[in-house]
Amino acid sequence: MTHPAEETTDPDDAVAAAGSAAAPGAHACGPSGGRRGGLSSAEVAERVARGQVNDVPVRSSRSVAEIVRANVFTRFNAIIGVLFAIILVVGPIQDGLFGLVIVANTAIGIVQEIRAKRTLDSLALIGEARPEVRRDGQPRQIAVAEIVLDDTVLLGTGDKVIVDGEVTEADGLEIDESLLTGEPDPVLKQPGDAVMSGSFVVAGVGAFTATKVGREAYAAQLAEEASRFTLVKSELRTGINSILRFITYLLIPTALGLVISQWTVEHNDWREAVRRTVAGIVPMVPEGLVLLTSVAFAIGVVRLGRRQCLVQELPAIEGLARVDTVCLDKTGTLTEGGMDVLALRPLDGATLTTAADGTGPGGRAPLDHGALRQALGVMAGADARPNPSMRAVADAFGADGRQPDGREREDWRVLEAMPFSSARKWSGVQLLEPTGGEASWLLGAPDVLLPVGHPALTEVDELGARGLRVLLLGRTPVPLDAPDPAARLQPLALVVLQQRVRADAAATLRYFADQRVEAKVISGDSAVSVGAVAAGLELPGAEHPLDARALPAEPGRLADTAERTTVFGRVTPRQKRALVGALQSRGRTVAMTGDGVNDVLALKDADIGVAMGSGSEATRAVAQIVLLDDRFATLPSVVAEGRRVIGNIERVASLFLVKTVYSVLLALLVVFTQLPYPFLPRHSTVLSALTIGIPAFFLALAPNSERARTGFVRRVLRLAVPAGVIAGAATFTAYALARADRGTDLTADTSVATLTLFLVAIWVLAIVARPYSWWRLLLIGTMGLAFTLVLTVPFLSDFFQLRLVGERDPWTGVAIALVAGALLEVVWHHVRRGLDQ
């Protein structure tokens, strides 16, 4: 028989005692269509031999082969690979350096993603559900993949249904199938009913026989359509793909024009024509942008993994960077799971009315404090899955047939039970009492069980205002299967529990406030109690908590209330979901934390769902991020990592796209003017490496606390397009003036163009690297020093074919670069002002 208890994994919403509860042997209630003892070891071995096992691979990441394919076989690698092969034919080898850079970059990408894969896989094993089955008459926990056909799988509150099956045992078993069917109300299951994998238990206990395992199970068929590691909808990925698609369309006609013009100009030297054509095409390809995006995500996964944070979907890192509202579940987030019973307070004037239902001698008896303690002890002892609240009751009043002082407990028998429900806010047990009478004992939220204006509610509010949790113990002659079991309830006593506030909760809330992320507490506990806890943590607005029973139903008014209120109490699972949706309707990006089954719907609908590692299987299954060590203080690190990744990718995207813009412009200008392209591939390589590739790698991994905003493509292009045009125009102007000087050759003119473009590009880097820190200034200075060495060291200048001749052309190039730099500052001023608005 189940026993009233609070919700197994979320005592915050389980204000009545335990939700997944069972008297000893509850999982062994008579089977219907199944064997009481489950399969034998021989029968399991036989099914394993026949392949009737739950062999669906549980993957947290892509395979190594998929990672290699994704990094090697890309559109741009194919373009670069062909151009590299051409250079190997026409030579010299220094003009093929860009190919070696691509190989190195691809290798870095593969290594980092494999590191991320190993981190994810190891963390996934830690957080993997281990269902309980009955074999050889004994319950045992096994891995998901070890379930076989006809296994008897045991269920309790918070458990996820792993495979399809038929219910064989049910005691108040309620299953939520909303994630599969859309039906909002839990379904009461009876022996013979079907259960589908992917649903989860919200109340009661039971068991089912597995009828479909492996890829035949319903949830497995859905899972085949998408991998957990897939880069699902992401503004960053979508934006980058849009940019790359446009560049591809632009690259083809520009490259064709460049090929024709260079063959026309260099008709006497086809090898030189080929080299300069390749030099014009290579920098148009922003190959490093995709690579650094993947590397930044992968390194983010590894960093979070070190903090015991499992990222189940990569876009969650990006999503957290955009979060402006975080909805917190009090228990397990602001408070720890454990709690203590402070007092059992009999209510003034309460008496035990005996045999009001005619089952024994009638009359009233003085309230026996010992009887209350014994009744609570019986309730705690019957709970097969005690949560922190019920464990506290068990510690205080005994749970093993003896009272805490060691005396034998009088004979109480559990006859029937109604498990806790987050919607009801109470649980009940039908007891055969030592006096021979029969009555229903209820334990739950006082403001739900008592009528408005009851004198006891004043005391409840006073206790709640001190941050204490209060449960009401009552007794009624009404049977549990009546339409309203709480009718004619005799309130007997208040059970006062003290919650343990997390030591790091206040600091975490301050972090969110500093980062302009609004925190809201959405709890199933008393609004007064939740508000007191939040106020003790100095959460702004906590002094005005709202009872969710007063929430308006009209969507517009609900959204207004959700925006202006910080603390909500007595929130049902459906209301949690509605509050998340209301905030999203006002353009907010919402993260939701939770650990109980009552949080599943809200976690699923939130932009980012964050589950606690010790929470129910259902919450871990739907969340994008799982905090395996249950530390709320890890969340700031997750948010900071997301902001670092997204903010820095935006920085480096500007660098790569500036290069693409000026390369396309230079190609078009030489096509129209019929001049040789200003650079050889080796020049493009050294320019790209020193002004983009190497700096971008460091900038992509730097700290960045700015909250990500929508409009990624617009913001990147607002700087990249004008900066690229300025760089291209300045370079071509210096190059054209140098070509007009008949005292210099093409090598000298190319050197002037290279000098000018480097100075403008390093200026762009200096703008993108702002605000400055010592290491950023050192990075810019190091790149400038490296280029100076290339120009001045004979071996390097010969290798890269750079030679500045005379003074007029080089200084003209420097002057043009300075003018271009001033224009860049004007552009940056306007871009920054537009972004700040």
Side-chain angles (χ1 to χ4, degrees):
M1 287 287 184
T2 53
H3 180 78
E6 288 186 2
E7 186 172 2
T8 304
T9 56
D10 194 353
D12 186 83
D13 288 290
V15 294
S20 157
H27 278 313
C29 52
S32 173
R35 196 174 315 174
R36 178 180 293 271
L39 296 177
S40 66
S41 298
E43 289 171 325
V44 171
E46 180 184 341
R47 284 160 175 76
V48 171
R50 291 203 300 256
Q52 295 172 327
V53 295
N54 193 43
D55 61 350
V56 176
V58 179
R59 298 190 302 154
S60 62
S61 59
R62 295 181 290 181
S63 67
V64 172
E66 289 172 330
I67 291 173
V68 172
R69 281 198 300 270
N71 281 274
V72 173
F73 299 108
T74 67
R75 179 191 317 161
F76 291 138
N77 275 5
I79 296 172
I80 297 296
V82 170
L83 296 176
F84 178 62
I86 292 173
I87 289 297
L88 288 180
V89 173
V90 301
I93 189 61
Q94 50 263 55
D95 280 331
L97 289 177
F98 65 88
L100 302 180
V101 171
I102 294 301
V103 171
N105 286 348
T106 302
I108 291 172
I110 291 172
V111 169
Q112 291 296 347
E113 284 205 44
I114 289 177
R115 283 185 64 204
K117 167 192 164 53
R118 289 174 177 169
T119 300
L120 283 175
D121 289 347
S122 62
L123 292 177
L125 287 176
I126 296 173
E128 185 182 29
R130 291 185 63 82
E132 191 173 13
V133 300
R134 189 185 298 127
R135 291 178 179 174
D136 296 318
Q138 298 296 322
R140 64 180 67 175
Q141 284 192 330
I142 62 173
V144 172
E146 294 175 359
I147 293 177
V148 300
L149 191 67
D150 299 326
D151 247 332
T152 298
V153 184
L154 310 183
L155 294 174
T157 301
D159 288 347
K160 180 183 175 183
V161 179
I162 301 296
V163 296
D164 296 353
E166 179 180 320
V167 176
T168 56
E169 308 169 16
D171 195 348
L173 182 65
E174 296 180 28
I175 291 184
D176 191 317
E177 299 175 344
S178 59
L179 299 180
L180 303 176
T181 66
E183 172 60 43
D185 296 323
V187 180
L188 182 64
K189 296 291 184 178
Q190 302 293 344
D193 290 346
V195 290
M196 291 187 293
S197 52
S199 56
F200 55 92
V201 181
V202 294
V205 294
F208 71 92
T209 298
T211 57
K212 290 183 179 180
V213 296
R215 289 174 173 82
E216 293 183 359
Y218 183 76
Q221 293 171 14
L222 296 180
E224 289 287 339
E225 300 174 10
S227 168
R228 191 186 295 178
F229 190 78
T230 54
L231 291 175
V232 295
K233 191 165 182 66
S234 153
E235 182 187 348
L236 183 68
R237 282 281 175 173
T238 302
I240 289 177
N241 288 337
S242 298
I243 292 171
L244 297 182
R245 190 162 49 249
F246 177 77
I247 289 173
T248 302
Y249 296 146
L250 188 65
L251 186 149
I252 295 173
T254 305
L256 287 175
L258 188 62
V259 169
I260 295 171
S261 71
Q262 294 308 294
W263 277 82
T264 302
V265 173
E266 298 285 354
H267 57 276
N268 293 326
D269 188 350
W270 68 271
R271 291 179 182 272
E272 184 73 6
V274 169
R275 285 194 290 268
R276 292 191 178 267
T277 298
V278 170
I281 297 174
V282 167
M284 294 183 198
V285 181
E287 74 289 335
L289 179 57
V290 178
L291 167 76
L292 277 179
T293 301
S294 300
V295 169
F297 271 125
I299 291 178
V301 168
V302 173
R303 285 180 171 179
L304 292 176
R306 291 177 185 148
R307 297 179 178 271
Q308 292 297 294
C309 176
L310 171 61
V311 180
Q312 303 200 101
E313 294 181 13
L314 281 188
I317 295 180
E318 175 185 349
L320 273 174
R322 304 185 191 282
V323 162
D324 53 27
T325 306
V326 57
C327 296
L328 310 170
D329 192 28
K330 178 171 66 68
T331 303
T333 304
L334 301 182
T335 61
E336 296 177 351
M339 55 185 66
D340 306 296
V341 174
L342 285 187
L344 175 62
R345 296 191 176 188
L347 296 175
D348 292 340
T351 58
L352 282 177
T353 303
T354 60
D357 55 356
T359 59
R364 289 181 176 271
L367 184 61
D368 182 359
H369 195 278
L372 298 180
R373 298 173 63 89
Q374 289 185 24
L376 285 168
V378 170
M379 297 170 80
D383 189 354
R385 298 187 177 199
N387 61 34
S389 294
M390 191 50 71
R391 280 198 295 269
V393 170
D395 291 342
F397 306 119
D400 58 355
R402 291 180 178 272
Q403 301 181 59
D405 58 9
R407 290 180 298 160
E408 291 287 342
R409 197 187 306 282
E410 295 183 42
D411 187 24
W412 297 73
R413 287 181 56 197
V414 179
L415 302 177
E416 190 177 352
M418 180 175 288
F420 173 82
S421 163
S422 294
R424 278 194 306 267
K425 302 296 183 188
W426 57 264
S427 56
V429 179
Q430 192 86 13
L431 292 177
L432 180 62
E433 300 167 345
T435 60
E438 213 177 279
S440 298
W441 290 69
L442 306 184
L443 185 65
D447 49 345
V448 173
L449 292 173
L450 294 175
V452 176
H454 193 283
L457 291 177
T458 302
E459 184 179 2
V460 170
D461 289 342
E462 291 173 353
L463 292 168
R466 291 160 49 191
L468 301 172
R469 167 174 290 177
V470 184
L471 304 178
L472 175 73
L473 178 65
R475 180 176 179 275
T476 176
V478 180
L480 290 179
D481 56 2
D484 183 10
R488 299 169 58 192
L489 182 73
Q490 239 187 308
L492 300 178
L494 299 178
V495 181
V496 184
L497 300 130
Q498 183 178 43
Q499 303 164 101
R500 304 166 188 168
V501 177
R502 287 185 180 272
D504 50 20
T508 305
L509 291 177
R510 282 196 298 272
Y511 168 84
F512 284 127
D514 293 341
Q515 298 299 318
R516 303 189 306 280
V517 176
E518 188 173 358
K520 294 183 182 291
V521 183
I522 302 178
S523 170
D525 206 349
S526 160
V528 175
S529 175
V530 179
V533 172
L537 296 172
E538 301 180 352
L539 180 66
E543 62 275 9
H544 301 295
L546 177 67
D547 191 309
R549 288 171 293 185
L551 282 175
E554 196 273 319
R557 293 176 56 209
L558 177 63
D560 291 338
T561 304
E563 282 202 299
R564 67 171 178 261
T565 307
T566 300
V567 176
F568 300 85
R570 291 287 177 249
V571 187
T572 65
R574 198 176 300 179
Q575 286 176 317
K576 285 192 177 186
R577 186 182 206 174
L579 285 170
V580 168
L583 291 167
Q584 291 171 324
S585 71
R586 294 298 170 87
R588 298 202 180 208
T589 303
V590 182
M592 175 76 195
T593 69
D595 59 355
V597 291
N598 56 317
D599 301 315
V600 169
L601 300 180
L603 285 170
K604 187 70 175 175
D605 282 4
D607 296 286
I608 298 296
V610 182
M612 299 296 171
S614 63
S616 71
E617 296 170 14
T619 55
R620 297 200 306 271
V622 301
Q624 289 94 353
I625 291 177
V626 180
L627 305 180
L628 295 172
D629 58 0
D630 290 347
R631 292 188 66 239
F632 176 47
T634 304
L635 266 185
S637 301
V638 180
V639 173
E641 191 62 32
R643 292 184 173 185
R644 182 194 66 78
V645 170
I646 304 308
N648 291 335
I649 288 175
E650 193 167 307
R651 284 179 186 273
V652 300
S654 297
L655 287 178
F656 282 103
L657 294 180
V658 165
K659 182 188 73 166
T660 297
V661 171
Y662 73 60
S663 298
V664 171
L665 179 59
L666 284 173
L668 292 174
L669 289 172
V670 299
V671 167
F672 293 134
T673 59
Q674 292 294 292
L675 289 174
Y677 190 77
F679 307 114
L680 291 171
R682 68 193 78 174
H683 304 132
S684 298
T685 299
V686 72
L687 285 169
S688 295
L690 296 181
T691 63
I692 299 169
I694 296 173
F697 184 81
F698 287 98
L699 290 176
L701 304 181
N704 191 326
S705 61
E706 182 181 356
R707 188 173 75 210
R709 294 168 290 176
T710 57
F712 165 77
V713 174
R714 176 180 58 82
R715 285 195 308 277
V716 168
L717 294 182
R718 285 187 68 173
L719 175 63
V721 171
V725 169
I726 291 171
T731 302
F732 187 79
T733 300
Y735 175 63
L737 290 175
R739 291 295 293 159
D741 184 356
R742 298 188 179 277
T744 57
D745 58 12
L746 183 57
T747 299
D749 300 340
T750 293
S751 301
V752 170
T754 304
L755 171 64
T756 305
L757 182 54
F758 175 80
L759 292 175
V760 179
I762 205 74
W763 203 308
V764 173
L765 172 63
I767 288 175
V768 170
R770 295 170 184 168
Y772 294 133
S773 59
W774 69 267
W775 68 266
R776 287 178 178 169
L777 292 173
L778 179 62
L779 176 65
I780 297 168
T782 302
M783 297 302 100
L785 177 61
F787 185 74
T788 302
L789 293 176
V790 169
L791 285 179
T792 56
V793 174
F795 166 73
L796 294 176
S797 61
D798 291 342
F799 183 84
F800 286 104
Q801 201 171 322
L802 289 173
R803 187 179 71 256
L804 295 174
V805 178
E807 295 185 2
R808 192 194 73 172
D809 291 345
W811 283 110
T812 299
V814 171
I816 292 172
L818 291 175
V819 173
L823 292 175
L824 287 172
E825 291 296 337
V826 173
V827 168
W828 171 244
H829 174 74
H830 284 285
V831 168
R832 184 176 57 182
R833 188 172 63 181
L835 294 179
D836 291 340
Q837 291 177 349

